[in-house]
Amino acid sequence: MTISTDVVGEGPAVLLLHAGVADSRMWHHQRDVLVTAGYRVVLPDLRGFGRTPAGTRPWDAADDVLEVADTLALDRFALVGASAGGSVALRVATRTPARVAALALLCPAAPDLTPSEELRRLWREEVRLVDAGDLDGASELMVDHFVGPEADDAARELVLTMQHRAYTLQLAAGAAEESDDDTPLDLADVTAPTLAVAGGHDLPDFSATARRVAGEVPHGKLVELAWAGHLPSLERPVETSRLVLGHLDHVRGVERLAHWPA
């Protein structure tokens, strides 16, 4: 499987890992800001999203991300992950801590997340709509729950489009599910300076995960955004880009002697 990936800019590498209701298009504003600031930005569409078809055999998204990094000869890189992309970033950072220079996690999920009853109800309704063939209804359900009040109409329409695309790919004949990773997640293994962001309008599952990450990662920091839903990069892109860039620039200054190469 080839993971469709865009690479733009020059400088230290930053991989942007999208949410499970989106694809790499969710990062367009952050991409431009980071390239202007002197970073090499890598934007993969994970399997079953955007331009990458779903796998026909069980797969591991963290392995896919590491394969992308290997293909680009990136020995060391930063990871910015949103929601499910944050979960993937955590798996990469605990498996290969020496390769991850910095982490920024926006409203992250976690591989060992125990969903609340509220989240379980949402997933059950999503499955009901998808099984009934109502992909428009399922996509609108996800937008209603995961796009915060600060998002404009264009952002909401983009999430609707990205989510509908994901359903179409994942329902393709022969599509398989991602394999379960039963390895316990020990956040103490993460060595990278880590920014964890919680949204005031997000589901409590993800806010709790951000607080957990900030508390258990040795160099973790929590930022709570009262205005944010689940996708701050699309809800207030300028403010979110500034937050992510500030974290990466701080680490970049410290890491100049620690081999985060261009």
Side-chain angles (χ1 to χ4, degrees):
M1 170 67 69
T2 298
I3 304 300
S4 180
T5 304
D6 288 334
V7 183
V8 290
E10 297 293 336
V14 182
L15 279 70
L16 305 183
L17 307 182
H18 60 77
V21 295
D23 55 48
S24 62
R25 287 174 285 180
M26 70 171 286
W27 297 117
H28 281 185
H29 189 277
Q30 290 73 41
R31 173 201 63 195
D32 294 345
V33 168
L34 291 172
V35 168
T36 299
Y39 290 91
R40 185 184 188 192
V41 180
V42 180
L43 300 112
D45 281 332
L46 301 177
R47 297 197 202 202
F49 296 91
R51 295 160 300 171
T52 303
T56 55
R57 295 191 298 265
W59 74 94
D60 184 294
D63 286 345
D64 285 346
V65 170
L66 287 168
E67 184 174 344
V68 168
D70 290 343
T71 299
L72 296 172
L74 303 177
D75 292 331
R76 193 162 167 82
F77 46 84
L79 291 170
V80 179
S83 187
S87 177
V88 176
L90 283 170
R91 280 188 283 172
V92 173
T94 54
R95 289 180 192 176
T96 61
R99 298 187 68 177
V100 180
L103 271 178
L105 307 174
L106 308 180
C107 306
D112 55 357
L113 172 69
T114 301
S116 65
E117 182 53 35
E118 181 180 5
L119 186 55
R120 290 181 189 275
R121 283 197 301 270
L122 175 60
W123 286 344
R124 286 196 295 267
E125 178 62 9
E126 179 190 23
V127 169
R128 186 189 70 79
L129 290 167
V130 171
D131 286 349
D134 187 2
L135 303 188
D136 290 341
S139 301
E140 290 168 1
L141 177 72
M142 294 295 103
V143 169
D144 289 343
H145 280 80
F146 287 121
V147 181
E150 295 291 314
D152 61 20
D153 289 343
R156 296 179 67 86
E157 185 63 31
L158 177 59
V159 176
L160 194 71
T161 299
M162 292 187 291
Q163 177 65 93
H164 196 284
R165 171 65 174 166
Y167 289 142
T168 301
L169 288 172
Q170 293 162 21
L171 289 171
E177 294 185 357
E178 185 179 1
S179 59
D180 292 329
D181 182 358
D182 296 327
T183 305
L185 185 68
D186 188 349
L187 294 177
D189 290 338
V190 178
T191 59
T194 299
L195 172 69
V197 175
H201 294 277
D202 200 5
L203 290 171
D205 304 72
F206 305 104
S207 299
T209 299
R211 295 187 185 99
R212 174 192 168 198
V213 167
E216 295 183 20
V217 169
H219 304 287
K221 174 185 176 182
L222 176 69
V223 171
E224 299 191 58
L225 303 176
W227 52 264
H230 192 59
L231 300 170
S233 65
L234 288 169
E235 294 159 8
R236 285 193 188 177
V238 174
E239 187 169 335
T240 303
S241 296
R242 188 182 303 123
L243 178 64
V244 171
L245 178 60
H247 177 64
L248 295 178
D249 277 351
H250 172 74
V251 177
R252 186 179 184 178
V254 173
E255 285 278 316
R256 284 202 173 128
L257 300 178
H259 309 294
W260 183 12

